[in-house]
Amino acid sequence: MSLPNIPSGVVSRESLRIGGGYGADPKGTSPAGGLEIDNAGNLATDGDVAIKGVIAAGSTPQTLTDTNGNIDGTKIQAGTVDTAQLADDAVDANKLDSTGTYAVAALSVAGNLTVDTKTLHVDSVGNKVGIGTASPDQALTLSGTYPHLRVLYNGGSYPAAWFGELYHNGASGGLVITGAVDNISGRDAITFKVSGTAGADGTAMATAMVIEANGEVGIGTDSPAATLDVNGDVTARGGDVVLGVDGGTRGMLTVWDGSGGNAPGCIKLCSPNGTPWYLFVEDDGTLKVHSALPTQNGDGTIVGTQV
């Protein structure tokens, strides 16, 4: 679509005004329902405009609609949109700028919502959200070539405000959970909290397990002091417990006494018929066995002949 130049010798007026009903038009120069085209080519009306054909805009006119009136959003940037007029026409805080961007203060969608085929898909029937897929099968489905789920602090940027990621390990296989230095506390760890009274940031919840950057794992403790630090009972359901490496690293089992000097550390052994026996050592090094949990040195019987 192109507009012909006005030939020389033709008289050009300041504006063309077509009157309508009574009242003031948008520019206050003709009755309500009127139409005005000024000498800059601007058109103003407070009535309805019906166009049978396509709409084009811009210094090099670009077609914005088809013959059925459907808008081609990729071409809106070719023209200029008067956002002030949009606001005046009761569009509230919503704005359409000259690049074709429409800012929405609030959006309510009755059905499914899809952005760019599968960048984002909201399934309104199944109440599921898909990122990278238009067919989410869970409440949140993340799909792609080894997609990453990244956690940032308060809208910060990577890596300064990076807390961690969850992703597939690619060709090596497996799910990877990574953590970074917490710029709030300065701690470099991954913490699992599953009980207690939840606070807004989870600080009021009890720590179930923590993995430190040096590889130390704490269960029931927030500050592990060994490769595996368990605050509580440990049960091995079958199999062997091996300490050390044959010919390489010496293994050692440490059993501490309790408080007050009346709770000697011991090893519980069960006989073939299930009877428990407690093996412990007196202060003088005498190895003894007792049929109940020992509470003092005098409990139990000396084991064999000792030096």
Side-chain angles (χ1 to χ4, degrees):
M1 175 180 177
S2 62
L3 299 175
N5 295 325
I6 299 176
S8 60
V10 176
V11 178
S12 176
R13 301 294 183 183
E14 287 297 319
S15 63
L16 171 64
R17 300 175 185 173
I18 302 175
Y22 295 98
D25 76 342
K27 304 182 85 173
T29 54
S30 65
L35 174 69
E36 178 179 349
I37 303 176
D38 64 20
N39 61 348
N42 298 314
L43 182 149
T45 181
D46 62 354
D48 297 331
V49 178
I51 300 176
K52 188 175 182 180
V54 300
I55 300 175
S59 56
T60 302
Q62 299 289 317
T63 302
L64 304 183
T65 67
D66 59 21
T67 55
N68 295 319
N70 298 314
I71 297 176
D72 182 354
T74 63
K75 298 291 184 63
I76 292 180
Q77 67 270 19
T80 299
V81 178
D82 188 346
T83 55
Q85 283 297 314
L86 285 177
D88 289 344
D89 292 340
V91 192
D92 299 325
N94 302 333
K95 296 286 186 178
L96 180 64
D97 64 21
S98 58
T99 65
T101 301
Y102 192 67
V104 182
L107 177 64
S108 177
V109 180
N112 294 346
L113 174 65
T114 301
V115 178
D116 192 23
T117 307
K118 61 179 182 179
T119 298
L120 174 67
H121 179 81
V122 179
D123 179 357
S124 63
V125 177
N127 295 322
K128 300 172 182 177
V129 177
I131 300 176
T133 176
S135 303
D137 56 2
Q138 299 297 326
L140 176 62
T141 301
L142 188 67
S143 179
T145 304
Y146 313 134
H148 286 51
L149 180 62
R150 178 174 294 165
V151 179
L152 298 174
Y153 172 71
N154 199 25
S157 60
Y158 173 87
W162 177 44
F163 279 172
E165 290 182 332
L166 174 67
Y167 63 94
H168 188 272
N169 199 26
S172 300
L175 186 66
V176 178
I177 301 176
T178 64
V181 175
D182 183 343
N183 290 312
I184 305 303
S185 65
R187 186 177 185 183
D188 192 359
I190 298 176
T191 304
F192 298 85
K193 297 188 177 186
V194 295
S195 61
T197 303
D201 58 358
T203 55
M205 300 180 70
T207 298
M209 183 172 72
V210 62
I211 303 176
E212 298 282 3
N214 59 7
E216 293 180 347
V217 178
I219 298 178
T221 175
D222 193 52
S223 303
T227 302
L228 177 61
D229 190 344
V230 180
N231 182 18
D233 298 334
V234 177
T235 299
R237 300 183 182 276
D240 298 333
V241 177
V242 179
L243 304 177
V245 178
D246 185 16
T249 304
R250 178 177 62 183
M252 182 173 63
L253 177 65
T254 301
V255 182
W256 291 102
D257 63 332
S259 62
N262 59 356
C266 59
I267 298 176
K268 181 180 179 180
L269 301 172
C270 293
S271 66
N273 64 3
T275 301
W277 294 92
Y278 299 87
L279 191 66
F280 69 101
V281 63
E282 287 189 4
D283 289 336
D284 62 1
T286 302
L287 185 64
K288 303 181 73 174
V289 64
H290 193 41
S291 59
L293 192 65
T295 59
Q296 56 186 352
N297 283 334
D299 289 341
T301 305
I302 296 176
V303 177
T305 302
Q306 301 182 35
V307 178

